[in-house]
Amino acid sequence: MNTLITTLFLGTTRGAVFALVALGLVLVWRGAGIVNFAQMGQAMFSTYVASTLIIKGYGYWFAFLIALAVGAILGAIVDLAVMRPLTRRSHAGVLASDSMRATVPVIASLGILGVLQSLAGMIWAAEERGFPTPVSDVAVKPFGKTAPFTKFDLFIIVVVALTLVVTTLFFKKTGMGLAMRATALNPEVARLSGIRISRVRTLSWAISGVASSLAGLLITPSANLSPNTLDLILIVGFTAAVVGGLDSLPGSVVGGFILGLLIAVINVYVSPDDVFLALLVFLLLVLILKPGGLFASKKVRNV
Amino acid sequence: MLEIRNVVASYGSVVALKDISFTAEIGKITTVIGANGAGKSTLLRLISGLEVATSGAIHWQGESLLGKSPESIVRMGVAHVPEGHAVIAPLTVAENIEMGALFRARSNKDDVKLAIGEVYELFPRLEERKNQLAGTLSGGERQMLAISRALVSRPSLLLLDEPSLGLAPLVVEQIIETIKALCISTGLTVLLVEQNANTALSVADHGVLLSIGSVVADQPAPLMRADSALRSAYLGY
C-alpha cells in the first residue's frame, strides 16, 4: 500500500515536470508551427546559469528568477535570430515548397540544440553537477511517521499548479492571451484584426522558454546537471504533448501527468528497463486509437 | 478616396490582375463584380496587404497602401472581411469581436467599449450568443460576426469579400441593408466584391466589372444594372 502511494506521488511530481515540458512544446507548435527540439537545450543552459550563480554564493531564489529570465531571453533569441529569418518570404527560393518551409525550422532547432550543448560543454567543462533544492528533499515526517513524499515534491506540485493557473488566466483573461490564441488558430484573420503576429510569436517562444527552464530547474535536483541530462526529459515531454494532442494546451498538461504516472508505475512494478518500451507502446496505442491525441481540438466545420 | 492605379498582380506565372485602375468615392458603396476567377478577391487582398502587387499603386485618402503589412493597414482605417465568413471558430462570439479592437484596446478603451456596444445593437443576435463558440453559429450569423469584427476597428474603408456566399437571400438582404445604413449614417466607404451582381448593383452607388483580370466597365451602378448587353456578355443573365 505504501509503495503504491509513494509511486503515485513520484509519478505526479515527475508528471508535473513533463507537463511543463509539453506545455512549452505546444506553445511553440501552436504559435509558430515548429516542433522545437532545442527546448530542453535552452532549459539546460539556463539551469547551468542558475547553478553557476548558486556556486558563486547567490541565493536559490535569485538564481531561480535569473534562470527563468534567461529561458525567456533564449527563447526570444531563437525566434528572432534563427526562426524568423528562416521562415521569411523572401527566402522562398531556398524553401520553395510548403513541406520544406515546415521542415527546415525543425532541423534548425536540432542544430541549435547541438550548439547549446557544445557551448555548455565549453563554458562549464561538461562536468556533472548536483543542483540544490530550495526546501528539504528528504521525506516529510509528520507525527513521527514517514510520509510518502518530500517537501520538494510538494514544492514542485505547488509551483506547477500555480504556473498552470497563471497560464490559463493569461490565455483566457488578457488581450495578449486572446491575441496569442487568435494567432495560433488563424494567423490571417489575426493579422487583418491588427494583431502583430510576429511579435506574438516571439512572445510564445519566450513563454515556452520560461516553462521549459522551470522544468529544468525542478528536475535537475533528481537528475544531476550535464549538457545532455535533459534530452530524455524532452523525449518524454514530446511524447506527452503528442499523447495530449499537439495543439491542445490542457491536453499537453494531462499528457504530462499520464506519462509521469505511467513511468512511475512501470519503474516500480515492472522494471526500470522497460520504461521506454512502455512509453512506445502507450504512444502507439494512443496514435492508433486517437490519431489526433487525446485532446485534439475539435475542428468545427466551415459551411 | 480609394485610388487603384495600374495595378498588376500575379500568382507565380499566372497573372491575376492586368493593369487595373479605378477609384472608389468616400461614403459610397462601390461594388466590384465579375465571374469566378476574375481577380476580385486578389484585389481586396492587395488592398489589405495580404498579397503583394507586381506593380502599380494603391492609395487610401492620399496614403499609399502597397508594401505595408496588413497589421499597419488596419491601423490606417482599412478593414477587410475576407471570403467565407472568416471568423475564428474555436473562440467565442465576444472574443471574435474583441479581437478586432485589440490593437486599440489600451489607447482607446472607452471608444472600444462603445464600438462593441454599437455592433451588438446592429446585430442583436450576436449579443444573445456572445458566449457561444463562433463555430456554432449559422452562416448568416458568422458573416455578421466577421463584419462586426471589422467594424470595431472603426474603419473608414470596409472591404467586403462575397458576403452573400452561401447565405439565404433574406439574410443577404438584411446584411446588405445594414451596411448601406451604416454608409449613410457614418460616412463609411465600402468596397463590395460580389459574384451575385444583381444584389450588389441594387445596393451600390458605383460598379466596376472585372473580367479575367481586367476592368471592362466602370460606371454608376444603376447604369450598369440597366445595360443588358453588358449583363448578357459578362454576367450571364
Side-chain angles (χ1 to χ4, degrees):
Chain A
M1 188 60 201
N2 230 337
T3 324
L4 178 66
I5 295 175
T6 314
T7 310
L8 291 184
F9 258 98
L10 183 69
T12 311
T13 45
R14 285 295 162 85
V17 174
F18 299 146
L20 282 179
V21 177
L23 187 74
L25 283 166
V26 169
L27 273 170
V28 165
W29 168 256
R30 279 171 41 119
I34 294 169
V35 177
N36 178 21
F37 285 112
Q39 182 176 298
M40 292 322 281
Q42 295 161 231
M44 173 273 297
F45 207 87
S46 48
T47 311
Y48 257 114
V49 170
S51 153
T52 308
L53 285 173
I54 290 171
I55 290 173
K56 291 224 163 114
Y58 291 95
Y60 179 88
W61 290 109
F62 177 72
F64 184 89
L65 290 179
I66 294 290
L68 295 188
V70 170
I73 293 167
L74 266 179
I77 289 178
V78 168
D79 183 41
L80 293 173
V82 182
M83 298 307 173
R84 233 196 248 191
L86 267 183
T87 45
R88 202 173 289 151
R89 261 196 194 186
S90 53
H91 287 251
V94 191
L95 307 167
S97 67
D98 280 345
S99 52
M100 280 298 274
R101 210 170 287 133
T103 316
V104 169
V106 181
I107 307 291
S109 80
L110 281 169
I112 296 166
L113 177 65
V115 169
L116 285 173
Q117 290 186 339
S118 319
L119 252 157
M122 283 156 69
I123 301 174
W124 293 290
E127 54 183 309
E128 279 217 11
R129 292 180 180 183
F131 193 79
T133 55
V135 290
S136 151
D137 59 350
V138 292
V140 182
K141 288 188 182 168
F143 321 114
K145 278 186 164 183
T146 306
F149 51 82
T150 69
K151 272 191 184 160
F152 187 58
D153 288 338
L154 290 181
F155 173 76
I156 291 181
I157 291 174
V158 168
V159 167
V160 174
L162 272 178
T163 310
L164 296 180
V165 169
V166 169
T167 315
T168 311
L169 287 178
F170 170 74
F171 276 106
K172 290 278 175 197
K173 300 286 177 200
T174 69
M176 187 42 94
L178 176 58
M180 282 181 84
R181 280 188 293 154
T183 304
L185 292 164
N186 191 333
E188 186 169 297
V189 173
R191 298 186 81 188
L192 288 177
S193 306
I195 295 169
R196 299 198 189 273
I197 60 168
S198 44
R199 284 189 201 172
V200 169
R201 284 193 173 144
T202 306
L203 187 67
S204 309
W205 280 89
I207 297 178
S208 159
V210 173
S212 41
S213 293
L214 186 55
L217 292 169
L218 295 179
I219 198 75
T220 29
S222 45
N224 274 340
L225 182 59
S226 80
N228 308 319
T229 3
L230 298 178
D231 290 0
L232 283 180
I233 311 293
L234 176 76
I235 293 173
V236 181
F238 183 58
T239 313
V242 173
V243 163
L246 204 46
D247 59 355
S248 158
L249 289 174
S252 67
V253 172
V254 175
F257 281 105
I258 292 177
L259 286 199
L261 289 168
L262 180 73
I263 291 175
V265 167
I266 300 286
N267 238 328
V268 174
Y269 290 97
V270 188
S271 146
D273 296 337
D274 292 335
V275 162
F276 279 90
L277 184 64
L279 276 186
L280 185 65
V281 171
F282 182 65
L283 177 64
L284 285 178
L285 275 178
V286 170
L287 289 181
I288 290 166
L289 298 174
K290 292 207 77 175
L294 298 174
F295 283 74
S297 49
K298 286 190 198 94
K299 294 257 182 320
V300 182
R301 215 152 44 113
N302 279 310
V303 185
Chain B
M1 187 170 71
L2 174 71
E3 204 183 352
I4 314 274
R5 219 180 323 119
N6 305 108
V7 167
V8 179
S10 47
Y11 285 114
S13 56
V14 183
V15 179
L17 291 175
K18 319 164 187 163
D19 200 4
I20 299 274
S21 300
F22 70 88
T23 57
E25 296 295 322
I26 287 187
K28 297 274 159 59
I29 299 182
T30 302
T31 183
V32 177
I33 53 178
N36 225 341
K40 307 181 302 281
S41 292
T42 306
L43 178 65
L44 291 195
R45 295 174 68 84
L46 286 174
I47 300 173
S48 68
L50 287 173
E51 307 283 345
V52 184
T54 317
S55 63
I58 298 177
H59 286 91
W60 169 240
Q61 293 179 330
E63 276 187 275
S64 171
L65 300 184
L66 277 189
K68 292 207 165 74
S69 68
E71 295 94 316
S72 326
I73 289 176
V74 179
R75 287 168 171 79
M76 295 167 66
V78 179
H80 181 184
V81 182
E83 204 174 3
H85 322 317
V87 298
I88 300 187
L91 299 184
T92 65
V93 170
E95 284 170 339
N96 267 280
I97 294 178
E98 194 193 331
M99 179 176 70
L102 271 184
F103 73 90
R104 59 195 198 96
R106 219 171 299 158
S107 55
N108 249 324
K109 214 170 177 182
D110 297 333
D111 184 63
V112 167
K113 241 184 221 161
L114 210 67
I116 292 176
E118 283 171 22
V119 296
Y120 280 142
E121 220 167 276
L122 227 45
F123 303 112
R125 270 153 80 187
L126 294 182
E127 185 160 28
E128 288 162 26
R129 285 155 209 254
K130 67 181 182 187
N131 295 321
Q132 266 175 247
L133 295 186
T136 63
L137 298 182
S138 72
E141 289 161 349
R142 281 194 208 191
Q143 188 60 57
M144 293 172 196
L145 181 55
I147 292 172
S148 303
R149 195 268 303 149
L151 286 179
V152 292
S153 72
R154 286 261 190 249
S156 45
L157 172 62
L158 184 64
L159 310 171
L160 285 177
D161 198 347
E162 301 263 6
S164 76
L165 198 74
L167 300 186
L170 208 65
V171 180
V172 175
E173 198 176 314
Q174 189 197 341
I175 291 176
I176 297 273
E177 285 308 319
T178 310
I179 297 294
K180 179 93 185 169
L182 217 59
C183 270
I184 294 166
S185 65
T186 68
L188 180 70
T189 308
V190 175
L191 191 61
L192 170 69
V193 153
E194 261 299 341
Q195 230 183 128
N196 184 344
N198 206 16
T199 314
L201 287 174
S202 68
V203 67
D205 301 291
H206 199 85
V208 173
L209 176 57
L210 282 190
S211 175
I212 347 178
S214 300
V215 176
V216 291
D218 177 356
Q219 49 190 235
L223 259 177
M224 190 176 272
R225 214 172 163 211
D227 191 335
S228 57
L230 204 66
R231 274 198 338 229
S232 59
Y234 292 102
L235 302 171
Y237 69 94

Coordinates of all heavy atoms in Angstrom, one line a residue, chain B residues 125-176:
Chain B
R125 N -28.6 39.5 -32.5 CA -28.4 38.1 -32.4 C -27.0 37.7 -31.9 O -26.9 36.7 -31.2 CB -28.7 37.4 -33.7 CG -30.1 37.0 -33.9 CD -30.5 37.0 -35.3 NE -30.1 35.7 -35.9 CZ -30.3 35.5 -37.2 NH1 -30.7 36.5 -38.0 NH2 -29.9 34.4 -37.7
L126 N -26.1 38.5 -32.2 CA -24.7 38.3 -31.7 C -24.6 38.5 -30.2 O -23.9 37.7 -29.5 CB -23.7 39.1 -32.5 CG -23.5 38.9 -34.0 CD1 -22.5 39.8 -34.5 CD2 -23.2 37.4 -34.2
E127 N -25.3 39.5 -29.7 CA -25.3 39.7 -28.3 C -25.9 38.6 -27.5 O -25.4 38.1 -26.5 CB -25.9 41.0 -27.9 CG -25.8 41.3 -26.4 CD -26.0 42.8 -26.1 OE1 -26.7 43.5 -26.8 OE2 -25.4 43.2 -25.1
E128 N -27.0 38.0 -28.1 CA -27.6 36.9 -27.4 C -26.7 35.7 -27.4 O -26.8 34.9 -26.5 CB -28.9 36.4 -28.2 CG -30.1 37.4 -28.1 CD -31.1 37.1 -29.2 OE1 -31.1 36.0 -29.7 OE2 -31.8 38.1 -29.6
R129 N -25.8 35.6 -28.4 CA -25.0 34.4 -28.4 C -23.5 34.7 -28.1 O -22.6 34.0 -28.5 CB -25.0 33.9 -29.9 CG -26.2 33.2 -30.2 CD -26.6 33.2 -31.6 NE -28.0 33.1 -31.7 CZ -28.7 32.0 -32.1 NH1 -28.1 31.0 -32.5 NH2 -30.0 32.1 -32.1
K130 N -23.3 35.8 -27.3 CA -21.9 36.2 -27.2 C -21.0 35.2 -26.5 O -19.8 35.3 -26.7 CB -21.8 37.6 -26.6 CG -22.2 37.8 -25.2 CD -22.0 39.2 -24.8 CE -22.4 39.5 -23.4 NZ -22.4 40.9 -23.1
N131 N -21.5 34.4 -25.7 CA -20.7 33.4 -25.0 C -20.6 32.1 -25.7 O -19.9 31.1 -25.3 CB -21.1 33.2 -23.6 CG -21.0 34.5 -22.8 OD1 -20.0 35.2 -22.9 ND2 -22.0 34.8 -21.9
Q132 N -21.3 32.0 -26.9 CA -21.2 30.7 -27.7 C -19.9 30.7 -28.5 O -19.4 31.8 -28.8 CB -22.4 30.7 -28.6 CG -23.6 29.9 -28.1 CD -24.7 30.0 -29.1 OE1 -25.7 30.6 -28.8 NE2 -24.6 29.5 -30.3
L133 N -19.4 29.5 -28.9 CA -18.3 29.5 -29.8 C -18.8 29.9 -31.2 O -19.9 29.6 -31.6 CB -17.7 28.1 -29.9 CG -17.1 27.5 -28.6 CD1 -16.5 26.2 -28.8 CD2 -16.1 28.5 -28.0
A134 N -17.9 30.6 -31.9 CA -18.3 31.1 -33.2 C -18.6 30.0 -34.1 O -19.4 30.1 -35.0 CB -17.2 32.0 -33.8
G135 N -18.0 28.8 -33.9 CA -18.2 27.7 -34.8 C -19.6 27.1 -34.7 O -20.1 26.4 -35.6
T136 N -20.4 27.5 -33.7 CA -21.7 27.0 -33.5 C -22.8 27.9 -34.2 O -24.0 27.6 -34.2 CB -22.1 26.9 -32.0 OG1 -22.1 28.2 -31.5 CG2 -21.2 26.0 -31.3
L137 N -22.3 29.0 -34.8 CA -23.3 30.0 -35.4 C -23.7 29.5 -36.8 O -23.0 28.7 -37.4 CB -22.6 31.3 -35.5 CG -22.2 32.1 -34.3 CD1 -21.6 33.4 -34.7 CD2 -23.3 32.3 -33.3
S138 N -24.8 30.0 -37.2 CA -25.3 29.8 -38.6 C -24.4 30.6 -39.6 O -23.7 31.5 -39.1 CB -26.7 30.2 -38.8 OG -26.8 31.6 -38.7
G139 N -24.5 30.3 -40.8 CA -23.7 31.0 -41.8 C -23.9 32.5 -41.8 O -23.0 33.3 -41.8
G140 N -25.2 32.9 -41.7 CA -25.5 34.3 -41.7 C -25.0 35.0 -40.4 O -24.4 36.1 -40.5
E141 N -25.1 34.3 -39.3 CA -24.6 34.9 -38.0 C -23.0 35.0 -38.1 O -22.5 36.0 -37.6 CB -25.0 34.0 -36.8 CG -26.4 34.1 -36.5 CD -27.0 33.0 -35.7 OE1 -26.2 32.0 -35.5 OE2 -28.1 33.0 -35.2
R142 N -22.4 34.1 -38.7 CA -21.0 34.1 -38.9 C -20.5 35.3 -39.7 O -19.6 36.0 -39.4 CB -20.4 32.9 -39.6 CG -20.3 31.7 -38.6 CD -19.4 30.7 -39.3 NE -19.8 29.4 -38.8 CZ -19.1 28.3 -39.1 NH1 -18.0 28.4 -39.8 NH2 -19.5 27.2 -38.6
Q143 N -21.3 35.6 -40.8 CA -21.0 36.7 -41.6 C -21.2 38.0 -40.8 O -20.3 38.9 -40.9 CB -21.9 36.7 -42.9 CG -21.5 37.8 -43.9 CD -20.1 37.6 -44.4 OE1 -19.7 36.6 -44.9 NE2 -19.2 38.6 -44.2
M144 N -22.2 38.1 -40.0 CA -22.5 39.3 -39.2 C -21.3 39.4 -38.2 O -20.8 40.5 -38.0 CB -23.8 39.1 -38.4 CG -25.0 39.1 -39.2 SD -26.4 38.7 -38.2 CE -27.6 38.3 -39.4
L145 N -20.8 38.3 -37.7 CA -19.7 38.3 -36.7 C -18.4 38.8 -37.4 O -17.7 39.7 -36.9 CB -19.5 36.9 -36.1 CG -18.4 36.8 -35.1 CD1 -18.6 37.8 -34.0 CD2 -18.3 35.4 -34.5
A146 N -18.2 38.3 -38.6 CA -17.0 38.7 -39.3 C -17.0 40.2 -39.6 O -16.0 40.9 -39.5 CB -16.9 37.9 -40.6
I147 N -18.2 40.7 -40.0 CA -18.4 42.2 -40.2 C -18.2 43.0 -38.9 O -17.5 44.0 -38.9 CB -19.7 42.5 -40.9 CG1 -19.7 41.9 -42.3 CG2 -20.0 44.0 -41.0 CD1 -21.1 41.9 -43.0
S148 N -18.8 42.4 -37.8 CA -18.6 43.1 -36.5 C -17.2 43.2 -36.1 O -16.7 44.2 -35.6 CB -19.4 42.4 -35.5 OG -20.7 42.3 -35.8
R149 N -16.4 42.1 -36.3 CA -15.0 42.1 -36.0 C -14.3 43.2 -36.7 O -13.4 43.9 -36.2 CB -14.5 40.7 -36.4 CG -13.1 40.3 -35.9 CD -12.0 40.7 -36.8 NE -12.1 40.1 -38.1 CZ -11.6 40.7 -39.2 NH1 -10.9 41.8 -39.1 NH2 -11.7 40.1 -40.4
A150 N -14.7 43.4 -38.0 CA -14.1 44.5 -38.8 C -14.5 45.9 -38.3 O -13.7 46.8 -38.2 CB -14.4 44.3 -40.2
L151 N -15.8 46.0 -37.9 CA -16.4 47.3 -37.6 C -15.8 47.9 -36.3 O -15.7 49.1 -36.2 CB -17.9 47.2 -37.5 CG -18.6 47.1 -38.8 CD1 -20.1 47.1 -38.6 CD2 -18.3 48.3 -39.7
V152 N -15.5 47.0 -35.3 CA -15.0 47.5 -34.0 C -13.6 48.1 -34.2 O -13.1 48.8 -33.3 CB -15.0 46.5 -32.9 CG1 -16.4 46.1 -32.5 CG2 -14.2 45.3 -33.3
S153 N -13.0 48.0 -35.3 CA -11.7 48.6 -35.5 C -11.9 50.1 -36.0 O -11.0 50.8 -36.2 CB -10.8 47.9 -36.5 OG -11.3 48.0 -37.9
R154 N -13.2 50.5 -36.1 CA -13.6 51.8 -36.6 C -13.0 52.2 -37.9 O -12.3 53.1 -38.0 CB -13.2 52.9 -35.6 CG -14.0 52.9 -34.3 CD -15.1 54.0 -34.4 NE -15.7 54.1 -33.1 CZ -17.0 53.8 -32.9 NH1 -17.7 53.2 -33.8 NH2 -17.5 54.0 -31.7
P155 N -13.3 51.3 -38.9 CA -12.7 51.6 -40.2 C -13.3 52.8 -40.9 O -14.5 53.1 -40.7 CB -13.0 50.3 -41.0 CG -14.3 49.8 -40.4 CD -14.2 50.2 -38.9
S156 N -12.6 53.4 -41.8 CA -13.2 54.4 -42.7 C -13.4 53.7 -44.1 O -14.2 54.2 -44.9 CB -12.3 55.6 -42.9 OG -10.9 55.2 -43.0
L157 N -12.7 52.6 -44.3 CA -12.9 51.9 -45.6 C -13.1 50.4 -45.2 O -12.3 49.8 -44.5 CB -11.7 52.0 -46.5 CG -11.7 51.1 -47.7 CD1 -12.8 51.4 -48.7 CD2 -10.3 51.2 -48.5
L158 N -14.3 49.8 -45.7 CA -14.6 48.4 -45.4 C -14.5 47.6 -46.6 O -15.2 48.0 -47.6 CB -16.0 48.4 -44.7 CG -16.5 47.0 -44.3 CD1 -15.6 46.5 -43.1 CD2 -17.9 47.1 -43.8
L159 N -13.7 46.6 -46.6 CA -13.6 45.7 -47.8 C -14.4 44.4 -47.5 O -14.1 43.7 -46.6 CB -12.1 45.3 -48.1 CG -11.1 46.5 -48.1 CD1 -9.7 45.9 -48.1 CD2 -11.4 47.4 -49.3
L160 N -15.4 44.2 -48.3 CA -16.3 43.0 -48.1 C -16.1 42.0 -49.2 O -16.4 42.4 -50.4 CB -17.7 43.4 -48.0 CG -18.2 44.2 -46.7 CD1 -19.7 44.5 -46.9 CD2 -18.0 43.2 -45.5
D161 N -15.7 40.8 -48.9 CA -15.5 39.8 -49.9 C -16.6 38.8 -49.9 O -16.7 38.0 -49.0 CB -14.1 39.1 -49.8 CG -13.7 38.4 -51.0 OD1 -14.5 38.3 -52.0 OD2 -12.5 38.0 -51.1
E162 N -17.5 38.9 -50.9 CA -18.6 37.9 -51.1 C -19.4 37.7 -49.8 O -19.5 36.5 -49.4 CB -18.0 36.5 -51.6 CG -17.2 36.6 -52.8 CD -18.1 36.2 -54.1 OE1 -19.3 36.0 -53.9 OE2 -17.5 36.1 -55.1
P163 N -20.0 38.7 -49.2 CA -20.7 38.5 -48.0 C -22.0 37.6 -48.3 O -22.5 37.0 -47.3 CB -21.2 39.9 -47.6 CG -21.0 40.7 -48.8 CD -19.9 40.1 -49.6
S164 N -22.4 37.5 -49.5 CA -23.6 36.7 -49.8 C -23.4 35.2 -50.0 O -24.3 34.4 -50.0 CB -24.3 37.3 -51.1 OG -23.6 36.8 -52.2
L165 N -22.1 34.9 -50.0 CA -21.7 33.5 -50.3 C -22.4 32.5 -49.4 O -22.2 32.5 -48.2 CB -20.2 33.3 -50.2 CG -19.7 32.1 -50.9 CD1 -19.7 32.3 -52.4 CD2 -18.2 31.8 -50.5
G166 N -23.2 31.6 -50.0 CA -23.9 30.5 -49.2 C -24.9 30.9 -48.3 O -25.3 30.2 -47.4
L167 N -25.4 32.2 -48.4 CA -26.5 32.6 -47.5 C -27.8 32.7 -48.1 O -27.9 32.9 -49.3 CB -26.1 34.0 -46.9 CG -24.8 34.1 -46.1 CD1 -24.6 35.4 -45.5 CD2 -24.7 33.0 -45.1
A168 N -28.9 32.6 -47.3 CA -30.2 32.7 -47.8 C -30.5 34.2 -48.3 O -30.0 35.1 -47.6 CB -31.2 32.3 -46.7
P169 N -31.2 34.4 -49.3 CA -31.4 35.7 -49.9 C -31.9 36.7 -48.8 O -31.5 37.9 -48.8 CB -32.5 35.5 -50.9 CG -32.4 34.1 -51.3 CD -31.9 33.4 -50.2
L170 N -32.8 36.3 -47.9 CA -33.3 37.1 -46.9 C -32.2 37.7 -45.9 O -32.2 38.8 -45.6 CB -34.4 36.4 -46.0 CG -35.4 37.2 -45.4 CD1 -36.3 37.9 -46.5 CD2 -36.3 36.4 -44.5
V171 N -31.3 36.7 -45.6 CA -30.2 37.1 -44.7 C -29.2 38.1 -45.4 O -28.8 39.1 -44.9 CB -29.4 35.8 -44.3 CG1 -28.3 36.2 -43.4 CG2 -30.3 34.8 -43.6
V172 N -29.0 37.8 -46.7 CA -28.1 38.7 -47.5 C -28.7 40.1 -47.5 O -28.0 41.0 -47.3 CB -28.0 38.1 -49.0 CG1 -27.2 39.1 -49.8 CG2 -27.4 36.8 -49.0
E173 N -30.0 40.1 -47.8 CA -30.6 41.5 -47.8 C -30.5 42.2 -46.5 O -30.1 43.4 -46.5 CB -32.1 41.2 -48.1 CG -32.8 42.5 -48.7 CD -34.2 42.2 -49.0 OE1 -34.5 41.2 -49.7 OE2 -35.1 43.0 -48.6
Q174 N -30.7 41.5 -45.4 CA -30.6 42.1 -44.1 C -29.2 42.7 -43.9 O -29.0 43.8 -43.4 CB -30.9 41.0 -43.0 CG -31.0 41.6 -41.6 CD -30.9 40.5 -40.6 OE1 -31.1 39.4 -40.9 NE2 -30.6 41.0 -39.4
I175 N -28.1 41.9 -44.2 CA -26.8 42.3 -44.0 C -26.4 43.5 -44.9 O -25.9 44.5 -44.4 CB -25.8 41.1 -44.3 CG1 -26.0 40.0 -43.2 CG2 -24.4 41.6 -44.4 CD1 -25.1 38.8 -43.4
I176 N -26.8 43.4 -46.2 CA -26.5 44.5 -47.1 C -27.2 45.8 -46.7 O -26.6 46.9 -46.7 CB -27.0 44.1 -48.5 CG1 -26.2 42.8 -49.0 CG2 -26.9 45.2 -49.5 CD1 -24.9 43.1 -49.7

